[in-house]
Amino acid sequence: MEGSWPENLATINQKKVINDELMEGREIANKLRSLLSNSGDDSKSAKDLVIKIMKSFSNTLSMLNVKEGDIAGSMISQIQAHSSCLDASKSEGDSQESCRSSNITPIKKDRRSFHNRRRPLQTWQSDTPTLIDDGQAWRKYGQKVILQAEYPRHYFRCTYKYDQGCKATKQVQRIQVNPPLYRTTYFGHHTCKIIHKGHEVVMEDTNPIETSIFISFDSSNLTNKQDQHPFLSSFSSIKDELKEDIKKCDTNKNQSYSCDYFVSPDSMVTQLPKSMMELSSTLESKNKDLIYEIMECDDFSFNMFQI
DNA sequence: CTGACTTGACCGCCTAA
DNA sequence: TTAGGCGGTCAAGTCAG
């Protein structure tokens, strides 16, 4: 990306609006924190505040998403890359590789590796310590060793690519061993009409903006057995090789990783910048039922916007 | 038998010379 | 301008349910 990202936004006025939205979100989050710390039983007020926070974030996201996701996607990638670089500053190896490949570091290398060879589809990334079903039906169509990457990249397309012409694809690549870290990059959005059931979160026919929710699945509450892991057991695209990685990851659950995943309404960028997620870090576990009510997610103990 | 995965081959974009 | 490198995709063979 050329230049810093704010300069790429449409207008200064829009930046002000975004800033205002973020400020409002922070303010509301602070109110919520005060409210919850008083441990009053005013669940209705708390719920209203949560809804306001979500709306504020959604508005911001919709603005970030204004240019086909290109800007937002790049921003998210940069933010993620930056934060992962910061996180990885303690460790060597793969994380450094992922930092090198981002635009954050000024290290000059073959410009070929910076170029996105793909057609300009909407993209967004997710760095997660485990592989979890994202609610879509994926079919693996390739695997390739990438130059200077220690682990191969796995290519997935929508199962209904040919049935319904769905162009969504994703790439999954392990980027770090300890702690395990997988980078999933989504390209395009699902146009298929299939609604997946079971443990998968169905977001069909909902307003993607209004439902943009970042969920953090706390692996400390997961079982050791993969078979009992509903997300993993339903992840039909993963076979032995990746599952081995998952097992290794689960055995490290004592480290209490927080598995950050999107409830991924297509056509939007759902992962929030860290600063935005901070605004919601005040949500206490005692209000998870509140979140359940909003999200209708009943399987995991999770924290919204957890950092 | 059918659907999914594996993997080598191929295609096309991009860079360096 | 072009040859070579590289990432992304295809498709035949294989496997599993």
Side-chain angles (χ1 to χ4, degrees):
Chain A
M1 191 194 306
E2 296 81 15
S4 56
W5 62 263
E7 277 65 40
N8 287 334
L9 294 179
T11 64
I12 292 177
N13 185 43
Q14 192 172 25
K15 281 158 56 176
K16 184 180 182 308
V17 175
I18 293 173
N19 195 50
D20 290 343
E21 285 290 338
L22 289 170
M23 295 288 282
E24 183 182 350
R26 177 182 298 177
E27 199 170 317
I28 295 170
N30 281 333
K31 286 180 184 176
L32 180 57
R33 177 163 44 190
S34 302
L35 189 68
L36 296 178
S37 63
N38 292 336
S39 74
D41 196 18
D42 192 358
S43 63
K44 187 175 184 302
S45 298
K47 183 174 180 176
D48 288 344
L49 288 172
V50 169
I51 292 172
K52 282 184 180 179
I53 291 171
M54 292 170 63
K55 187 177 180 181
S56 177
F57 289 161
S58 297
N59 288 340
T60 308
L61 280 170
S62 67
M63 284 182 279
L64 293 178
N65 207 23
V66 68
K67 291 189 75 174
E68 286 293 311
D70 288 342
I71 294 174
S74 301
M75 289 165 53
I76 300 297
S77 297
Q78 272 209 359
I79 292 165
Q80 286 185 320
H82 192 206
S83 72
S84 77
C85 288
L86 293 177
D87 293 342
S89 60
K90 319 152 202 163
S91 60
E92 307 287 329
D94 293 331
S95 17
Q96 284 192 342
E97 159 59 27
S98 68
C99 293
R100 276 198 301 272
S101 64
S102 78
N103 298 5
I104 301 298
T105 56
I107 299 172
K108 174 89 173 171
K109 62 177 259 184
D110 188 353
R111 290 198 300 163
R112 183 183 300 156
S113 56
F114 286 142
H115 189 267
N116 183 359
R117 304 171 68 92
R118 283 176 163 268
R119 51 192 181 279
L121 286 175
Q122 180 181 14
T123 70
W124 62 97
Q125 282 187 346
S126 169
D127 289 352
T128 58
T130 58
L131 294 165
I132 298 177
D133 190 0
D134 53 16
Q136 299 292 343
W138 298 103
R139 177 170 175 173
K140 186 176 180 179
Y141 66 86
Q143 174 179 330
K144 195 172 187 68
V145 174
I146 302 302
L147 195 72
Q148 296 185 24
E150 191 167 343
Y151 304 98
R153 179 176 295 169
H154 305 264
Y155 298 90
F156 297 88
R157 62 166 172 81
C158 177
T159 300
Y160 310 103
K161 176 183 179 180
Y162 299 117
D163 293 350
Q164 303 182 27
C166 182
K167 294 177 181 174
T169 63
K170 74 172 180 179
Q171 299 173 359
V172 178
Q173 185 170 13
R174 187 170 193 169
I175 58 176
Q176 189 173 294
V177 182
N178 194 15
L181 193 60
Y182 298 87
R183 172 159 295 167
T184 304
T185 306
Y186 295 88
F187 298 88
H189 56 85
H190 285 272
T191 56
C192 53
K193 301 298 181 193
I194 303 298
I195 300 177
H196 306 289
K197 302 185 177 180
H199 300 285
E200 298 154 352
V201 181
V202 178
M203 304 298 285
E204 199 76 10
D205 294 328
T206 57
N207 183 341
I209 298 302
E210 291 300 319
T211 53
S212 23
I213 300 166
F214 181 88
I215 310 175
S216 181
F217 296 96
D218 187 351
S219 64
S220 64
N221 290 332
L222 303 182
T223 64
N224 263 333
K225 295 180 180 177
Q226 180 188 332
D227 290 345
Q228 296 173 354
H229 194 314
F231 271 69
L232 298 184
S233 62
S234 65
F235 198 176
S236 59
S237 300
I238 302 176
K239 290 208 80 178
D240 294 343
E241 183 182 351
L242 288 175
K243 283 179 178 176
E244 279 302 313
D245 291 339
I246 295 167
K247 287 178 184 174
K248 291 172 189 169
C249 175
D250 276 355
T251 59
N252 290 329
K253 72 184 184 71
N254 288 340
Q255 299 176 30
S256 189
Y257 300 128
S258 148
C259 308
D260 296 338
Y261 264 81
F262 308 128
V263 173
S264 170
D266 300 319
S267 77
M268 64 176 232
V269 179
T270 45
Q271 184 157 11
L272 303 175
K274 202 164 186 172
S275 59
M276 292 177 69
M277 287 185 273
E278 285 174 355
L279 306 184
S280 301
S281 62
T282 55
L283 290 174
E284 305 292 342
S285 58
K286 64 183 177 184
N287 283 284
K288 282 172 186 171
D289 57 337
L290 193 65
I291 309 304
Y292 286 141
E293 202 176 321
I294 297 169
M295 298 181 56
E296 298 180 354
C297 180
D298 57 359
D299 272 316
F300 284 89
S301 165
F302 62 87
N303 304 314
M304 283 182 61
F305 305 108
Q306 182 179 0
I307 298 176

